[in-house]
Amino acid sequence: MGIEYRRLSKEYLEKFIQMRITQLREEGAKEEIDLAPALRDYYDRHMADGTFVSWLAFDGEKMIGTSGMSFVEKPPYFGCPSGKMGLLSSMYTDPEYRRRGIAKELLDRVVKEARNYGCGTVQITASDMGVKLYSAYGFIHNGNFMQYKL
């Protein structure tokens, strides 16, 4: 049976949230809070208004890969005259299925969503594991990303 790709819907949301938490833990998150309610609230609101999309990979009925794209808008600038940006997140593939092109296919699908939304750029804070994928796809490393935690 081949890999099947489906767009995230409420039907798959709980499993998607579980995989997102697994991804965050795998990337080193140590916080001991129940993040599921906040994730559920975010995805419910932003899927409803069209500012979050996700494509999922399945092997039969087993979810094996996820992707996510949040759409935000900021004042236009020379690098993004529309001001619309895609923020890539939730890129995760089950360890048993890695190195098979699944992440590239998921990435391609959410980048197309960003293009269709009118985004002028897509950004991600990449894990060490993801840098090769994003570089091969054409992402350019920008060392200017900074964050201020409130």
Side-chain angles (χ1 to χ4, degrees), residues 3-141:
I3 305 302
E4 183 182 345
Y5 297 90
R6 304 175 193 165
R7 195 167 174 170
L8 176 62
S9 65
K10 287 201 178 272
E11 175 184 356
Y12 308 120
L13 188 57
E14 291 307 312
K15 180 63 178 165
F16 177 77
I17 288 169
Q18 291 172 13
M19 286 188 79
R20 175 66 174 153
I21 292 169
T22 298
Q23 172 196 3
L24 293 170
R25 295 276 182 231
E26 189 176 294
E27 291 174 352
K30 303 284 188 234
E31 291 81 0
E32 294 299 327
I33 63 170
D34 182 6
L35 195 57
L39 286 169
R40 192 174 301 106
D41 176 64
Y42 177 87
Y43 296 132
D44 281 342
R45 288 184 293 112
H46 292 280
M47 286 170 58
D49 72 8
T51 57
F52 180 80
V53 296
S54 170
W55 281 88
L56 311 170
F58 287 84
D59 184 0
E61 288 306 308
K62 179 181 179 184
M63 186 183 298
I64 59 164
T66 62
S67 65
M69 186 74 72
S70 298
F71 303 124
V72 299
E73 190 169 356
K74 50 192 268 189
Y77 58 99
F78 290 110
C80 184
S82 72
K84 294 180 179 178
M85 301 171 55
L87 301 179
L88 187 60
S89 66
S90 306
M91 292 295 299
Y92 183 76
T93 305
D94 182 304
E96 294 180 33
Y97 290 85
R98 291 181 182 162
R99 314 289 308 156
R100 299 186 194 181
I102 294 167
K104 183 182 180 301
E105 179 65 27
L106 290 168
L107 177 60
D108 194 49
R109 288 171 183 254
V110 291
V111 166
K112 285 178 182 171
E113 296 272 1
R115 186 175 291 115
N116 291 340
Y117 191 82
C119 293
T121 187
V122 172
Q123 295 182 352
I124 186 170
T125 303
S127 67
D128 292 341
M129 196 179 333
V131 170
K132 285 184 182 179
L133 168 69
Y134 306 124
S135 295
Y137 195 85
F139 282 71
I140 297 171
H141 183 72

